[in-house]
Amino acid sequence: MSASSTPGHSRLTKAHKLSIAGVATFSAAALAFSLVPADAAEAETVVSAAPVAWAQAVNGTQTKAMHGHLSAQQVIADANAKAAAAKAKAKAKADAEAKAKAEAAAKKAREDKAAASRSAARTPVFANNLDGWIKEALFIMKKEGIPGTYAGIHKNIMRESSGNPMAINNWDINAQNGIPSKGLLQVIYPTFKAYHVKGTKFDQYDPVANIVAACNYAADRYGSMDNVNSAY
């Protein structure tokens, strides 16, 4: 017996079912395709490019930091080089100055030695007698600017002591006062002390020292020993 059909309902055949399933499958595929964004390739590119850009930024910072570090090292190296150069220059200058001073001192020593040698060569040797004492006294007097002549000195020596350097007056007023006249030109101690010439012996009996001190006193009081013709 054949089944009767229900009004309003149509019976799906096997062909219809296969057709519907195919449509559904196609729709799902279309929907899946439509859910993929149009710029998916760009998104993938951006995503994949981001780490590269980040790496470049990080590497740039590192490079900049490294450049800064190298610059600081260069500044320090330059400063050290300048300091070393300044130190070397100062040392060279000090060495040059020390050398110049040493050379100047050596030169002065040579000049002083030469001058002393010339002076010694110019200094005559005087005889140890009345003639030599007068000549030596005149040599000193010339350097000291004390006037007097051989004749004027000789005449007063002969009158005062007869040429005896050890002569002493023990009877005049000076002797009575405790300061006797002594030596070739009979000089009392206060006068000898006041008119003694540096470089001669500090001894009233020394013939040269006695003559020079007496002539120095006579020059101060009389203008020159040449002007003395009596006790003075």
mmCIF file of all heavy atoms in Angstrom, residues 73-102:
data_model
loop_
_atom_site.group_PDB
_atom_site.id
_atom_site.type_symbol
_atom_site.label_atom_id
_atom_site.label_comp_id
_atom_site.label_asym_id
_atom_site.label_seq_id
_atom_site.Cartn_x
_atom_site.Cartn_y
_atom_site.Cartn_z
ATOM 1 N N GLN A 73 86.568 57.881 25.654
ATOM 2 C CA GLN A 73 87.924 57.330 25.716
ATOM 3 C C GLN A 73 88.898 58.186 24.921
ATOM 4 O O GLN A 73 90.036 58.392 25.336
ATOM 5 C CB GLN A 73 87.922 55.898 25.161
ATOM 6 C CG GLN A 73 87.300 54.868 26.101
ATOM 7 C CD GLN A 73 87.444 53.465 25.555
ATOM 8 O OE1 GLN A 73 87.438 53.262 24.344
ATOM 9 N NE2 GLN A 73 87.575 52.504 26.446
ATOM 10 N N GLN A 74 88.437 58.704 23.781
ATOM 11 C CA GLN A 74 89.303 59.554 22.957
ATOM 12 C C GLN A 74 89.643 60.850 23.681
ATOM 13 O O GLN A 74 90.778 61.335 23.626
ATOM 14 C CB GLN A 74 88.607 59.867 21.623
ATOM 15 C CG GLN A 74 89.485 60.640 20.633
ATOM 16 C CD GLN A 74 90.703 59.848 20.241
ATOM 17 O OE1 GLN A 74 90.601 58.664 19.962
ATOM 18 N NE2 GLN A 74 91.868 60.480 20.236
ATOM 19 N N VAL A 75 88.635 61.442 24.359
ATOM 20 C CA VAL A 75 88.853 62.675 25.125
ATOM 21 C C VAL A 75 89.884 62.437 26.214
ATOM 22 O O VAL A 75 90.806 63.236 26.432
ATOM 23 C CB VAL A 75 87.528 63.180 25.733
ATOM 24 C CG1 VAL A 75 87.794 64.296 26.738
ATOM 25 C CG2 VAL A 75 86.607 63.670 24.630
ATOM 26 N N ILE A 76 89.736 61.319 26.929
ATOM 27 C CA ILE A 76 90.681 60.991 28.004
ATOM 28 C C ILE A 76 92.076 60.774 27.438
ATOM 29 O O ILE A 76 93.073 61.257 27.984
ATOM 30 C CB ILE A 76 90.211 59.735 28.767
ATOM 31 C CG1 ILE A 76 88.899 60.036 29.512
ATOM 32 C CG2 ILE A 76 91.277 59.257 29.750
ATOM 33 C CD1 ILE A 76 88.254 58.805 30.127
ATOM 34 N N ALA A 77 92.149 60.056 26.316
ATOM 35 C CA ALA A 77 93.444 59.796 25.688
ATOM 36 C C ALA A 77 94.100 61.102 25.253
ATOM 37 O O ALA A 77 95.299 61.306 25.439
ATOM 38 C CB ALA A 77 93.274 58.860 24.499
ATOM 39 N N ASP A 78 93.300 62.022 24.665
ATOM 40 C CA ASP A 78 93.834 63.314 24.233
ATOM 41 C C ASP A 78 94.340 64.117 25.429
ATOM 42 O O ASP A 78 95.398 64.749 25.358
ATOM 43 C CB ASP A 78 92.757 64.113 23.495
ATOM 44 C CG ASP A 78 92.424 63.490 22.138
ATOM 45 O OD1 ASP A 78 93.217 62.653 21.664
ATOM 46 O OD2 ASP A 78 91.376 63.847 21.572
ATOM 47 N N ALA A 79 93.556 64.099 26.526
ATOM 48 C CA ALA A 79 93.953 64.829 27.732
ATOM 49 C C ALA A 79 95.249 64.268 28.300
ATOM 50 O O ALA A 79 96.155 65.010 28.691
ATOM 51 C CB ALA A 79 92.842 64.765 28.782
ATOM 52 N N ASN A 80 95.352 62.939 28.339
ATOM 53 C CA ASN A 80 96.576 62.308 28.845
ATOM 54 C C ASN A 80 97.772 62.638 27.962
ATOM 55 O O ASN A 80 98.871 62.884 28.456
ATOM 56 C CB ASN A 80 96.394 60.789 28.924
ATOM 57 C CG ASN A 80 95.428 60.377 30.021
ATOM 58 O OD1 ASN A 80 95.205 61.136 30.966
ATOM 59 N ND2 ASN A 80 94.861 59.185 29.922
ATOM 60 N N ALA A 81 97.544 62.649 26.651
ATOM 61 C CA ALA A 81 98.625 62.971 25.719
ATOM 62 C C ALA A 81 99.088 64.411 25.913
ATOM 63 O O ALA A 81 100.291 64.702 25.927
ATOM 64 C CB ALA A 81 98.157 62.748 24.281
ATOM 65 N N LYS A 82 98.128 65.339 26.084
ATOM 66 C CA LYS A 82 98.473 66.743 26.306
ATOM 67 C C LYS A 82 99.225 66.918 27.613
ATOM 68 O O LYS A 82 100.204 67.668 27.698
ATOM 69 C CB LYS A 82 97.206 67.601 26.308
ATOM 70 C CG LYS A 82 96.574 67.755 24.936
ATOM 71 C CD LYS A 82 95.334 68.622 24.998
ATOM 72 C CE LYS A 82 94.692 68.781 23.621
ATOM 73 N NZ LYS A 82 93.462 69.594 23.675
ATOM 74 N N ALA A 83 98.763 66.218 28.672
ATOM 75 C CA ALA A 83 99.435 66.310 29.969
ATOM 76 C C ALA A 83 100.859 65.777 29.872
ATOM 77 O O ALA A 83 101.799 66.367 30.409
ATOM 78 C CB ALA A 83 98.646 65.526 31.021
ATOM 79 N N ALA A 84 101.025 64.659 29.171
ATOM 80 C CA ALA A 84 102.357 64.072 29.013
ATOM 81 C C ALA A 84 103.264 65.010 28.222
ATOM 82 O O ALA A 84 104.437 65.191 28.559
ATOM 83 C CB ALA A 84 102.247 62.722 28.313
ATOM 84 N N ALA A 85 102.699 65.641 27.184
ATOM 85 C CA ALA A 85 103.485 66.566 26.371
ATOM 86 C C ALA A 85 103.895 67.788 27.189
ATOM 87 O O ALA A 85 105.033 68.250 27.113
ATOM 88 C CB ALA A 85 102.683 66.991 25.140
ATOM 89 N N ALA A 86 102.947 68.315 28.007
ATOM 90 C CA ALA A 86 103.246 69.468 28.858
ATOM 91 C C ALA A 86 104.324 69.127 29.883
ATOM 92 O O ALA A 86 105.233 69.910 30.156
ATOM 93 C CB ALA A 86 101.966 69.942 29.559
ATOM 94 N N LYS A 87 104.212 67.926 30.466
ATOM 95 C CA LYS A 87 105.200 67.478 31.450
ATOM 96 C C LYS A 87 106.573 67.343 30.808
ATOM 97 O O LYS A 87 107.585 67.758 31.384
ATOM 98 C CB LYS A 87 104.761 66.142 32.047
ATOM 99 C CG LYS A 87 105.650 65.648 33.175
ATOM 100 C CD LYS A 87 105.104 64.366 33.770
ATOM 101 C CE LYS A 87 106.009 63.880 34.906
ATOM 102 N NZ LYS A 87 105.478 62.624 35.511
ATOM 103 N N ALA A 88 106.602 66.763 29.614
ATOM 104 C CA ALA A 88 107.869 66.596 28.905
ATOM 105 C C ALA A 88 108.476 67.960 28.555
ATOM 106 O O ALA A 88 109.686 68.162 28.671
ATOM 107 C CB ALA A 88 107.655 65.776 27.644
ATOM 108 N N LYS A 89 107.612 68.895 28.153
ATOM 109 C CA LYS A 89 108.081 70.234 27.807
ATOM 110 C C LYS A 89 108.647 70.943 29.026
ATOM 111 O O LYS A 89 109.694 71.597 28.962
ATOM 112 C CB LYS A 89 106.928 71.043 27.202
ATOM 113 C CG LYS A 89 107.333 72.421 26.730
ATOM 114 C CD LYS A 89 106.159 73.146 26.081
ATOM 115 C CE LYS A 89 106.565 74.526 25.604
ATOM 116 N NZ LYS A 89 105.414 75.248 24.988
ATOM 117 N N ALA A 90 107.932 70.819 30.168
ATOM 118 C CA ALA A 90 108.395 71.448 31.416
ATOM 119 C C ALA A 90 109.724 70.856 31.855
ATOM 120 O O ALA A 90 110.629 71.572 32.296
ATOM 121 C CB ALA A 90 107.337 71.267 32.508
ATOM 122 N N LYS A 91 109.847 69.538 31.727
ATOM 123 C CA LYS A 91 111.102 68.874 32.112
ATOM 124 C C LYS A 91 112.249 69.323 31.218
ATOM 125 O O LYS A 91 113.360 69.588 31.688
ATOM 126 C CB LYS A 91 110.949 67.355 32.026
ATOM 127 C CG LYS A 91 112.165 66.576 32.534
ATOM 128 C CD LYS A 91 111.931 65.081 32.478
ATOM 129 C CE LYS A 91 113.108 64.325 33.071
ATOM 130 N NZ LYS A 91 114.383 64.644 32.410
ATOM 131 N N ALA A 92 111.963 69.420 29.923
ATOM 132 C CA ALA A 92 112.995 69.864 28.981
ATOM 133 C C ALA A 92 113.431 71.292 29.301
ATOM 134 O O ALA A 92 114.627 71.617 29.260
ATOM 135 C CB ALA A 92 112.466 69.777 27.550
ATOM 136 N N LYS A 93 112.456 72.136 29.660
ATOM 137 C CA LYS A 93 112.768 73.523 30.004
ATOM 138 C C LYS A 93 113.606 73.589 31.274
ATOM 139 O O LYS A 93 114.592 74.331 31.344
ATOM 140 C CB LYS A 93 111.471 74.320 30.193
ATOM 141 C CG LYS A 93 111.700 75.792 30.506
ATOM 142 C CD LYS A 93 110.385 76.529 30.666
ATOM 143 C CE LYS A 93 110.630 77.999 31.003
ATOM 144 N NZ LYS A 93 109.348 78.728 31.191
ATOM 145 N N ALA A 94 113.202 72.790 32.286
ATOM 146 C CA ALA A 94 113.951 72.761 33.545
ATOM 147 C C ALA A 94 115.364 72.248 33.326
ATOM 148 O O ALA A 94 116.327 72.787 33.879
ATOM 149 C CB ALA A 94 113.217 71.884 34.563
ATOM 150 N N ASP A 95 115.485 71.214 32.499
ATOM 151 C CA ASP A 95 116.814 70.669 32.204
ATOM 152 C C ASP A 95 117.676 71.706 31.490
ATOM 153 O O ASP A 95 118.870 71.841 31.779
ATOM 154 C CB ASP A 95 116.680 69.412 31.334
ATOM 155 C CG ASP A 95 116.082 68.243 32.106
ATOM 156 O OD1 ASP A 95 116.061 68.310 33.351
ATOM 157 O OD2 ASP A 95 115.636 67.273 31.463
ATOM 158 N N ALA A 96 117.053 72.429 30.555
ATOM 159 C CA ALA A 96 117.795 73.451 29.809
ATOM 160 C C ALA A 96 118.252 74.579 30.740
ATOM 161 O O ALA A 96 119.386 75.064 30.645
ATOM 162 C CB ALA A 96 116.922 74.014 28.682
ATOM 163 N N GLU A 97 117.350 74.983 31.661
ATOM 164 C CA GLU A 97 117.697 76.042 32.605
ATOM 165 C C GLU A 97 118.813 75.592 33.541
ATOM 166 O O GLU A 97 119.739 76.355 33.850
ATOM 167 C CB GLU A 97 116.462 76.461 33.410
ATOM 168 C CG GLU A 97 115.424 77.204 32.577
ATOM 169 C CD GLU A 97 114.180 77.529 33.383
ATOM 170 O OE1 GLU A 97 114.060 77.016 34.516
ATOM 171 O OE2 GLU A 97 113.333 78.298 32.888
ATOM 172 N N ALA A 98 118.693 74.345 34.023
ATOM 173 C CA ALA A 98 119.725 73.813 34.917
ATOM 174 C C ALA A 98 121.071 73.742 34.195
ATOM 175 O O ALA A 98 122.124 74.078 34.758
ATOM 176 C CB ALA A 98 119.319 72.427 35.417
ATOM 177 N N LYS A 99 121.026 73.313 32.929
ATOM 178 C CA LYS A 99 122.254 73.230 32.142
ATOM 179 C C LYS A 99 122.852 74.618 31.937
ATOM 180 O O LYS A 99 124.080 74.803 32.043
ATOM 181 C CB LYS A 99 121.958 72.582 30.792
ATOM 182 C CG LYS A 99 123.195 72.379 29.939
ATOM 183 C CD LYS A 99 122.836 71.699 28.621
ATOM 184 C CE LYS A 99 124.078 71.515 27.751
ATOM 185 N NZ LYS A 99 123.732 70.872 26.463
ATOM 186 N N ALA A 100 121.969 75.596 31.647
ATOM 187 C CA ALA A 100 122.437 76.968 31.428
ATOM 188 C C ALA A 100 123.075 77.533 32.702
ATOM 189 O O ALA A 100 124.120 78.196 32.655
ATOM 190 C CB ALA A 100 121.273 77.854 30.977
ATOM 191 N N LYS A 101 122.437 77.258 33.864
ATOM 192 C CA LYS A 101 122.979 77.733 35.134
ATOM 193 C C LYS A 101 124.332 77.090 35.422
ATOM 194 O O LYS A 101 125.267 77.749 35.886
ATOM 195 C CB LYS A 101 121.998 77.435 36.262
ATOM 196 C CG LYS A 101 120.759 78.317 36.262
ATOM 197 C CD LYS A 101 119.840 77.979 37.423
ATOM 198 C CE LYS A 101 118.599 78.865 37.424
ATOM 199 N NZ LYS A 101 117.682 78.524 38.546
ATOM 200 N N ALA A 102 124.401 75.789 35.158
ATOM 201 C CA ALA A 102 125.660 75.076 35.401
ATOM 202 C C ALA A 102 126.765 75.631 34.508
ATOM 203 O O ALA A 102 127.899 75.832 34.951
ATOM 204 C CB ALA A 102 125.461 73.584 35.154
#
